[in-house]
Amino acid sequence: MTEPNDEEVITIQCTLDGQEIQLSRAAASRAEFLRDMMEDTARSTVLPVKLAAPPVCLVAEILKHRAAVAAGTGGEAAFPSLADVTPEALMDAMEAAHHLDASEAFAALAKALFRRMEGLDDVEALRQMLGVRDEEAIAEADCASILAEPL
């Protein structure tokens, strides 16, 4: 049996919306979940995941970049820009990265989200950025007791 080729194309089949995302075996193997699937599926190049494609696409772009850097070709591959990605999409991608056990992607996405939070002036701006609705807010009495508890 031949050794797997790092440049072999792997297809991630997002079962929630039927879309497929392609990346190299080297990039896919940077996510522990995908690496385990590749090892367990007798060299199948189609890996089904119960996720939607948009957040997986963002994770895949980060994995591609990290694989290029590890291979020594990262100078040509620009890191995917996260500046135009909405906070909600960043959080969805973080969830996908967590599901795929892609720690490098998760860290990059979390840093991008936290950088945006740093510039906020107050709690209301943070709530708005994270999409917290008023009916999800903590009642004042509960909030006071939570804030009174030691850390």
Side-chain angles (χ1 to χ4, degrees):
M1 185 172 196
T2 61
E3 283 293 312
N5 175 1
D6 280 349
E7 295 307 312
E8 178 181 17
V9 174
I10 300 296
T11 300
I12 300 173
Q13 186 178 46
C14 298
T15 60
L16 292 185
D17 55 18
Q19 294 187 41
E20 296 182 343
I21 300 159
Q22 295 185 331
L23 63 162
S24 69
R25 179 174 287 276
S29 69
R30 299 190 78 77
E32 295 288 329
F33 181 78
L34 298 176
R35 182 184 316 145
D36 291 345
M37 285 182 75
M38 289 185 291
E39 291 172 0
D40 294 343
T41 57
R43 306 246 320 121
S44 173
T45 58
V46 178
L47 307 175
V49 295
K50 291 183 180 181
L51 296 167
V56 175
C57 284
L58 192 50
V59 172
E61 289 303 313
I62 295 169
L63 295 177
K64 288 176 188 178
H65 178 266
R66 297 292 195 219
V69 169
T73 59
E76 302 136 19
F79 188 79
S81 174
L82 302 175
D84 295 332
V85 179
T86 66
E88 183 179 10
L90 283 173
M91 289 184 284
D92 289 345
M94 287 173 64
E95 188 175 328
H98 175 69
H99 178 84
L100 298 172
D101 200 2
S103 59
E104 293 172 318
F106 186 90
L109 293 160
K111 284 180 188 175
L113 184 62
F114 292 141
R115 269 190 233 112
R116 292 187 193 178
M117 288 179 185
E118 285 179 337
L120 299 177
D121 295 336
D122 59 20
V123 172
E124 187 55 40
L126 177 63
R127 289 180 69 231
Q128 187 174 12
M129 182 184 111
L130 296 176
V132 178
R133 297 183 309 267
D134 285 337
E135 59 269 13
E136 294 173 336
I138 300 171
E140 280 188 49
D142 294 334
C143 186
S145 67
I146 290 169
L147 291 174
E149 290 194 21
L151 296 176

